[in-house]
Amino acid sequence: GENVEQHPSTLSVQEGDSAVIKCTYSDSASNYFPWYKQELGKGPQLIIDIRSNVGEKKDQRIAVTLNKTAKHFSLHITETQPEDSAVYFCAASTNTGRRALTFGSGTRLQVQP
Amino acid sequence: DGGITQSPKYLFRKEGQNVTLSCEQNLNHDAMYWYRQDPGQGLRLIYYSQIVNDFQKGDIAEGYSVSREKKESFPLTVTSAQKNPTAFYLCASWTGGNVRNGYTFGSGTRLTVV
């Protein structure tokens, strides 16, 4: 089955700096890659996603890049703010079979004011 | 507003007891999922259901059971056979068909064995 690895496990940045979180996946059939933000005690919230036919997608301060050949994708947050502090998860899925998301282990982002 | 409701928010279980976690959605989604989250780890799939009256085991189904009698409801029972049930449990749903539409998650149930 699919295996998703996520790095780093913790990331501390100064307010206004950029943050980058990287994930790799194992199943070449995966074609959907969402990113979730989880605040303490809450369920994950989808923040951005990308499909396999797209190399990059941007939404205001958040961007995601995908390299299908290398099987890795990354989340980029620019101009970080204290409210960006949370745990971020990457995930991967196919459109066949059980079509369930396989998640990375998470990155705890701390934005220092 | 449409969404997923999980209850209770906190649940305490004694050794040897079965407990049931509720998950209800009013999004008219076909597929529903249960995930388990342990501290410092990602979400692991317990069970999923892509249609009413049908469900499949995920990666860590041992010690858990589910039912899907109604489209809106997908309860999870943590049985006494689950040896380490203390965790944060998340229910999710999506429209079915193409997973690119993304999951919607509930707010979770934190289960603690006392």
Side-chain angles (χ1 to χ4, degrees):
Chain A
E2 175 67 278
N3 181 50
V4 177
E5 296 197 357
Q6 182 172 347
H7 300 280
S9 57
T10 59
L11 180 59
S12 181
V13 300
Q14 290 295 124
E15 183 176 357
D17 288 349
S18 295
V20 180
I21 302 170
K22 298 182 179 182
C23 289
T24 60
Y25 62 98
S26 61
D27 188 350
S28 57
S30 288
N31 58 2
Y32 174 66
F33 307 93
W35 286 87
Y36 287 85
K37 176 182 180 181
Q38 186 178 29
E39 297 178 342
L40 192 63
K42 297 183 179 180
Q45 298 288 324
L46 178 68
I47 57 171
I48 195 167
D49 56 11
I50 192 167
R51 304 168 217 168
S52 58
N53 59 347
V54 175
E56 183 174 358
K57 183 178 178 180
K58 189 174 181 180
D59 182 4
Q60 299 182 339
R61 297 187 296 108
I62 296 173
V64 57
T65 59
L66 172 65
N67 183 327
K68 281 215 73 177
T69 302
K71 290 192 227 170
H72 66 71
F73 56 113
S74 300
L75 177 71
H76 304 253
I77 306 174
T78 59
E79 301 172 22
T80 54
Q81 302 167 3
E83 51 265 38
D84 293 330
S85 297
V87 178
Y88 291 81
F89 290 97
C90 62
S93 179
T94 67
N95 276 331
T96 59
R98 68 185 193 183
R99 291 174 285 181
L101 292 173
T102 298
F103 286 84
S105 55
T107 296
R108 181 173 300 279
L109 174 64
Q110 182 69 42
V111 180
Q112 306 288 346
Chain B
D1 289 336
I4 296 181
T5 301
Q6 288 188 241
S7 62
K9 190 173 179 66
Y10 299 97
L11 186 57
F12 298 90
R13 191 195 92 168
K14 293 182 179 178
E15 295 280 353
Q17 273 187 339
N18 292 355
V19 291
T20 297
L21 284 60
S22 171
C23 178
E24 303 278 334
Q25 55 100 356
N26 60 4
L27 299 165
N28 200 33
H29 285 177
D30 290 312
M32 297 186 74
Y33 299 80
W34 274 105
Y35 284 88
R36 169 180 171 141
Q37 185 175 27
D38 292 286
Q41 297 189 32
L43 285 67
R44 293 182 291 167
L45 182 66
I46 304 173
Y47 265 98
Y48 65 100
S49 168
Q50 297 187 2
I51 196 170
V52 175
N53 292 322
D54 184 59
F55 50 83
Q56 305 295 330
K57 292 181 179 180
D59 300 321
I60 55 166
E62 185 175 353
Y64 300 98
S65 65
V66 294
S67 63
R68 187 83 187 279
E69 298 176 359
K70 299 186 301 181
K71 188 175 185 178
E72 302 79 18
S73 179
F74 191 40
L76 173 74
T77 297
V78 184
T79 74
S80 57
Q82 171 50 241
K83 298 306 178 188
N84 184 23
T86 295
F88 190 48
Y89 291 87
L90 287 158
C91 179
S93 73
W94 62 284
T95 58
N98 193 334
V99 76
R100 74 179 74 180
N101 296 322
Y103 277 23
T104 299
F105 278 93
S107 56
T109 293
R110 186 166 300 280
L111 174 63
T112 304
V113 173
V114 297

